[in-house]
Amino acid sequence: MDGVIATLTAAWKHLVRREGAQPDTELFQTSIMGALLQGQYEGSMSYATLALHGDFGIGTFNDLDGEMIAFDGRFYQLRSDGSVRTVEPKQLTPFALVTFFKPAEVINIDSESDQAAVATRIEQSSSANLFTAIKLEGHFRKMTTRTVEVQSKPFPPLIEAAAHEKTLSFSQIEGTIIGFRTPAYAQGIGVPGLHLHFLSRDERSGGHVLSYSLDSGNLQLMPLHTFHLELPIAAEFVGSTLSLDSFSKDVKEVEGG
Ligand code: ZN
């Protein structure tokens, strides 16, 4: 098993180092949150292509088959049955954000902090007007995550799909949070505020972060000044009516903001 993972990692490293990718401070995103909210869960972008744009980030899979978290060059699929597996390059995504992470600021948090206190640290050390990549490694006193469940056609809107999501709670768990702070003006494109995913250190559990408290940890932040948004070519996207009317209510309900 170790040999398989080592081989896959080597394959990813080869892909992400290909010439033409932007290695510095670019955030790359495929599709938009507004399309995902409407039930557009079928993308044409493979993880092999996504990895050319970054090896760190979050997202989901076609048919909404779980949560994605990527860091240190590895991509993981966290499924609603609680399983975790390494993503295969040929898998497809309808929505993901990635970058090549190089922290600009490292903050050690050595006292117990709740979610709001960590959010305040992030807000103090980043701009509300930039996208910021976030990595938080630590020992979590509590962690509650959710994982969306694979959907079949006709796809329901995300708010309905999320009503059946699986929620998991952990206590005294080590692991890594990966995510982004998104500006309010990007509503419709992303999830304004913090959007975070978690993977336990033993790589056996995780998901989209709903709530947590931290005993101690290491917070790393990277401001992103370039935003590369790739929009779907599918008729489903091109011909759909995307409206911001219910976006903020729906995204808050679905993402737990
Ligand atoms: Zn998420």
Side-chain angles (χ1 to χ4, degrees):
M1 191 61 190
D2 275 346
V4 173
I5 288 173
T7 309
L8 284 168
T9 304
W12 285 118
K13 291 248 154 89
H14 171 72
L15 286 171
V16 300
R17 282 181 188 161
R18 202 184 79 163
E19 252 180 280
Q22 295 291 317
D24 288 317
T25 63
E26 180 175 284
L27 173 63
F28 177 88
Q29 180 176 316
T30 179
S31 193
I32 62 171
M33 195 63 208
L36 202 69
L37 281 172
Q38 287 197 357
Q40 298 186 23
Y41 307 144
E42 246 179 11
S44 56
M45 178 162 293
S46 69
Y47 272 90
T49 302
L50 188 71
L52 300 176
H53 300 279
D55 60 1
F56 171 107
I58 58 175
T60 186
F61 298 85
N62 272 21
D63 305 330
L64 211 63
D65 193 8
E67 311 283 340
M68 184 276 280
I69 182 169
F71 58 99
D72 298 339
R74 292 184 177 208
F75 289 71
Y76 302 87
Q77 181 177 15
L78 316 171
R79 303 184 72 229
S80 65
D81 62 3
S83 66
V84 178
R85 61 191 188 191
T86 304
V87 177
E88 289 176 36
K90 67 173 191 295
Q91 284 184 263
L92 302 175
T93 179
F95 180 80
L97 304 93
V98 292
T99 190
F100 291 99
F101 189 68
K102 288 189 194 133
E105 187 167 358
V106 178
I107 301 163
N108 282 311
I109 301 175
D110 47 21
S111 58
E112 193 190 340
S113 305
D114 63 15
Q115 187 177 4
V118 177
T120 300
R121 297 291 286 269
I122 294 170
E123 280 161 21
Q124 286 168 344
S125 299
S126 61
S127 166
N129 301 326
L130 294 175
F131 291 83
T132 301
I134 299 160
K135 181 177 188 182
L136 172 58
E137 283 175 297
H139 184 275
F140 296 85
R141 177 160 297 201
K142 285 198 161 50
M143 171 64 69
T144 301
T145 62
R146 75 98 202 272
T147 306
V148 287
E149 196 169 37
V150 64
Q151 301 294 309
S152 47
K153 287 182 172 177
F155 292 134
L158 190 55
I159 201 156
E160 282 174 34
H164 306 288
E165 69 198 14
K166 294 284 190 303
T167 303
L168 292 171
S169 290
F170 310 93
S171 46
Q172 307 296 346
I173 188 167
E174 282 188 75
T176 305
I177 281 178
I178 299 293
F180 296 91
R181 181 185 188 193
T182 293
Y185 63 73
Q187 178 163 301
I189 294 173
V191 179
L194 298 176
H195 183 181
L196 308 171
H197 289 186
F198 173 77
L199 181 68
S200 63
R201 193 173 173 183
D202 63 12
E203 302 183 357
R204 292 175 73 172
S205 46
H208 172 102
V209 174
L210 292 178
S211 65
Y212 67 90
S213 67
L214 183 71
D215 275 333
S216 62
N218 177 270
L219 175 65
Q220 301 178 28
L221 302 172
M222 175 197 191
L224 294 150
H225 295 266
T226 306
F227 183 43
H228 178 170
L229 177 60
E230 198 148 306
L231 296 170
I233 51 169
E236 183 193 22
F237 178 84
V238 175
S240 63
T241 304
L242 294 163
S243 158
L244 269 180
D245 288 349
S246 63
F247 180 87
S248 70
K249 183 176 72 62
D250 287 359
V251 85
K252 211 173 169 81
E253 193 162 332
V254 169
E255 302 296 333

